[in-house]
């Protein structure tokens, strides 16, 4: 059978099976129960006929795009998809089209709300019913049951977040057309019983980049897949942001979840070519205990309904209960907010839209309890992907639409369990902490996540501790307390092995997300009830700070280094060319002690105005010194120029770009053409995790990519040596994660790993927070708490083998003994005992700072991430004696 014959057969099977699967699902319903699907009215009004006629004027996808969706070598592009969705919304009384907003790159972010005309006319009431059931405070069980009979479940399906996983967003075109136009009992029953929220692409920027590049390279010898990050900052990590919510697309997604409170969230993805043809839940253990057990069961139900539908349709090669777990909130915000997360992962075709052809049947060929029918063809196409994911989608709709009462009533039950929680009672975030930016960032996350935050009007006592007025209280007796709890508590990831005595079972993502450790603030768990006079916050604002009186001419403005947010102020000072200094030692003024690393700004009207504005917007206090202290210090180089080495598709560099843009740093990506004059372009260069010698020397191939990508072409050994000379000639280089091994290769650094190689049974840390000791007198660690935990995800730790090769200081190390794990999962922590992590080197006339761990992980670990700023500004600065510092460099 040819691949085209196979595609046609699969499509016919899909169309037949959807009606059959719908009938089969209906037979599972007990006649007369509230969850039974209502009958379609026997008579139609003139309005119904008019709506039908208008729906009939919608062109098919093949007619509109000029090519059938799923055709080999063809991908519909966003610029034409959006008008098609608008057209469907305009002509179908079943579809409401909405542009939620613009993306990072200015593309439309759209949502289609799809249901029967009657449900759409009644949408506000249905949304209000969802909200009332989700927050059952004051709602009786009898009233909840009544609402459950009156409401409709909401099913939110999202495609295209990972833009090279092209099949789902292409399938969404067909989903929208079918649901908008098909006049069948099968579709009408689904639409009568369900409200569907269809987001055809969660990452429009990516679909534009990937699909447009695919089209532009058609007929050329160039590689067909877009080589860089398909989200400006996050790339494939764009669904690892559903905890910190930094990206505008993440915020739009959360706004949809918070508004409609859907009962199911289908997150449609793609996997590798050898993966099961389609993965669905149930997931592997573990699941985060903060996910309600009812939600876990509902997830399993929908996932297995999808598997059953594919079996009925004769679609083989599907699996569940492998690879993916139900643990990390960074990729499943929805489960803490009332939605079962249904992850689907379809196997990839070749080169995005061409057949994958093997010498025998593709994929796993051994059966198991979670993989019952191997795929029996040697060909897998884009059309196959669309058919498989479509069958799963319709089976998922059926499983909810034909059981609507139970989904609605379970929403109430989940809410009741949340609002009647007895322990823990609350978390208290004390007022007056060292880092107001960290507290503010955490509160913004909770506020955006519909978590209720209260603030104390007066001092109070809780858990045997006194708290000041202004402290924040997050009570656990609220609908979405599970989200707050999982971000505030210490994670204890279970010790799961592949088999008894065997290696660890790999978690799908990280194992820790303890926000106080990542950002650097205190949050106290209070187990038992207490009384406090609090107010519910409707917004989150920085703490109010007073601008000090202008210092005398002998003094200066002072800003402490305790907050990582201070670098927003530094970047603003640099932008206005206002001189900025740092004290290299602790000092006192007016009876107050200031820590090493304190920033000093000479008094001027420009400085006063800027510092007032910045202090007000950040909540970071500014003080006035009567006299500049008699200590050594530094003067930051005016307009410090920072270079970021970013190979294509390097996500750590992408995340840093977001941070640097938020802070307003003077930075740019280092391009291949820059290496001939690095010192003329940059004062400091940052090399993040994932940058290797190969990515610098070889880079992208000029034969595989057009000249637009010349910035990422390899620089050869000449460029490699020029990077070496940049440092030895006086430049600054900061590396972390695997890039430290790259720096070791560049300079022959005298370090060796302390971690055992080989078996993960001996050492394993797949994303956790570990203990650390910082030399806070070292400029790279100025302002960092002495025992700040560090983020470690399959990184390295070192032994310093020589102190004579280069002058070197230890910035950070692991404790000599004890439990190295702070939160998450760690095996073999004893191999970290006394290992060094952060080192500052003098190499020639240059300054190099290296970290074995990832101090810049996804913007999460912001407290330690400040060391990037410390080092990048310190290296190019002018070092001042105490006398020079007292005169502020004059």
């Amino acid at each position: 059978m040819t691949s085209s014959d196979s595609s046609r057969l699969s499509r016919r099977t899909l169309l037949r099976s959807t009606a059959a699967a719908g009938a089969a699902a209906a037979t599972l319903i007990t006649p007369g129960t509230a969850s039974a699907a209502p009958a379609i009215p026997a008579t139609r009004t003139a309005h119904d006929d008019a709506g039908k006629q208008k729906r009939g004027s919608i062109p098919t996808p093949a007619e509109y795009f000029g090519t059938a969706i799923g055709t080999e070598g063809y991908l519909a592009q966003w610029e034409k998809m959006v008008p098609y969705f608008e057209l469907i919304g305009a002509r179908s009384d079943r579809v409401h089209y909405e542009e939620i907003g613009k993306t990072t790159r200015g593309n439309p972010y759209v949502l289609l709300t799809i249901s029967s005309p009657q449900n759409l006319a009644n949408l506000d009431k249905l949304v209000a019913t969802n909200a009332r059931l989700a927050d059952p405070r004051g709602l009786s069980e009898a009233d909840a049951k009544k609402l459950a009979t009156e409401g409709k479940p909401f099913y939110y399906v999202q495609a295209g977040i990972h833009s090279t996983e092209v099949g789902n967003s292409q399938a969404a075109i067909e989903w929208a057309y079918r649901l908008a136009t098909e006049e069948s009992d099968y579709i009408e029953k689904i639409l009568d019983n369900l409200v569907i929220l269809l987001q055809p692409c969660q990452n429009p920027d990516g679909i534009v980049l990937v699909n447009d590049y695919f089209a532009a390279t058609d007929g050329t010898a160039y590689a067909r897949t877009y080589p860089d990050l398909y989200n400006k900052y996050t790339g494939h990590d764009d669904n690892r942001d559903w905890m910190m919510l930094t990206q505008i697309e993440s915020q739009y997604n959360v706004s949809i979840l918070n508004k409609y409170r859907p009962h199911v969230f289908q997150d449609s993805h793609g996997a590798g070519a050898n993966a099961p043809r389609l993965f669905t839940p149930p997931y592997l253990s573990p699941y985060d205990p903060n996910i309600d057990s009812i939600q876990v069961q509902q997830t399993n139900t929908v996932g297995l309904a999808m598997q059953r539908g594919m079996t009925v349709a004769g679609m083989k090669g599907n699996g569940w209960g492998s690879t993916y777990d139900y643990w990390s909130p960074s990729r499943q915000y929805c489960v803490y907010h009332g939605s079962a997360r249904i992850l689907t992962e379809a196997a990839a075709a070749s080169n995005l839209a061409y057949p994958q052809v093997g010498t025998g049947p593709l994929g796993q060929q051994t059966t198991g309890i979670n993989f019952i029918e191997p795929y029996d063809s040697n060909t897998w196409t884009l059309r196959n992907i669309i058919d498989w994911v479509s069958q799963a989608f319709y089976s998922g709709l059926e499983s909810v639409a034909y059981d609507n009462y139970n989904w609605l009533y379970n929403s109430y039950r989940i809410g009741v369990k949340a609002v009647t929680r007895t322990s823990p009672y609350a978390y208290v975030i004390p007022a007056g902490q060292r880092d107001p930016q960290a507290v503010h960032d955490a509160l913004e996350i909770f506020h955006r996540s519909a978590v209720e935050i209260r603030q104390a009007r007066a001092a109070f006592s809780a858990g045997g501790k006194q708290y000041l007025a202004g402290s924040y209280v997050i009570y656990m007796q609220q609908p979405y307390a599970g989200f707050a709890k999982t971000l505030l508590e210490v994670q204890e990831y279970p010790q799961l092995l592949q088999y008894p005595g065997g290696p660890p079972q790999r978690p799908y993502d990280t194992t820790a997300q303890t926000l106080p450790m990542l950002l650097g603030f205190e949050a106290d768990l209070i187990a038992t009830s207490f009384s406090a006079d609090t107010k519910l916050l409707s917004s989150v604002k920085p703490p109010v700070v007073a601008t000090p009186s202008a210092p005398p001419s002998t003094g200066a403005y002072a800003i402490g280094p305790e907050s990582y947010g201070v670098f927003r102020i530094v970047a603003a000072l640099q932008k206005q060319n206002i001189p900025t200094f740092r004290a290299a030692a602790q000092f006192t003024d007016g009876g107050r002690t200031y820590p090493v690393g304190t920033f000093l700004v000479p008094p001027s009207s420009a400085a006063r105005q800027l510092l007032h504005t910045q202090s007000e917007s950040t909540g970071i206090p500014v003080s006035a010194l009567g006299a500049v202290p008699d200590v050594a210090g530094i003067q930051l180089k005016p307009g410090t120029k920072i270079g970021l080495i970013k190979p294509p598709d390097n996500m750590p560099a992408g995340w840093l770009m977001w941070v640097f843009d938020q802070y307003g740093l003077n930075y740019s990506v280092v391009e291949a053409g820059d290496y001939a004059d690095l010192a003329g372009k940059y004062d400091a260069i940052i090399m993040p995790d994932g940058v290797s010698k190969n990515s610098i020397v070889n880079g992208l191939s000029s034969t595989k990519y057009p000249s637009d990508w010349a910035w990422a072409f390899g620089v050869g050994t000449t460029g490699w040596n020029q990077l070496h000379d940049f440092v030895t000639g006086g430049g600054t280089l900061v590396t972390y994660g695997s890039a430290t091994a790259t720096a070791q290769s560049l300079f022959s650094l005298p370090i060796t790993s302390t971690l055992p190689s080989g078996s993960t049974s001996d050492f394993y840390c797949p994303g956790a927070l570990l203990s650390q000791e910082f030399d806070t007198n070292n400029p790279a660690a100025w302002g960092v708490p002495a025992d700040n935990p560090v983020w470690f995800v399959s990184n390295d730790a070192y032994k310093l083998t020589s102190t004579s090769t280069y002058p070197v200081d230890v910035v950070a190390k692991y404790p000599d003994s004890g439990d190295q794990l702070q939160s998450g999962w760690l095996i073999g922590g004893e191999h970290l005992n006394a290992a060094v992590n952060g080192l500052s080197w003098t190499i020639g006339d240059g300054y190099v700072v290296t970290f074995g761990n990832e101090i810049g992980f996804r913007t999460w670990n912001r407290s330690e991430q400040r060391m990037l700023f410390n080092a990048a500004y310190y290296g190019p600065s002018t070092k001042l004696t105490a006398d020079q510092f007292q005169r502020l460099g004059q």
Side-chain angles (χ1 to χ4, degrees), residues 3 90 131 139 226 340 427 470 484 572 639 704 792 829 875:
S3 61
L139 181 66
Y226 184 76
Y427 275 89
K704 292 184 178 180
F792 193 106

Side-chain angles (χ1 to χ4, degrees), residues 461-478:
S461 176
K465 182 176 177 179
Q466 292 294 123
Y467 292 96
L468 299 174
S471 296
Y472 301 96
V473 182
I474 299 178
Y475 292 105
M476 292 291 102
Q477 304 78 37
Q478 57 171 297

Side-chain angles (χ1 to χ4, degrees), residues 1-4 6-7 70-73 164 225 271-277 346-364 375-385:
M1 181 183 295
T2 66
S3 61
S4 59
S6 174
S7 295
T71 297
E72 178 181 314
T164 52
T225 303
N274 293 320
R277 298 305 89 185
S350 176
N351 211 7
L352 299 184
Y354 291 90
Q356 180 78 22
V357 181
T359 57
L362 299 174
Q364 178 180 334
Y375 187 61
D376 53 8
S377 171
N378 72 332
T379 304
W380 181 250
T381 67
L382 177 60
R383 183 67 251 175
N384 291 142
I385 295 171

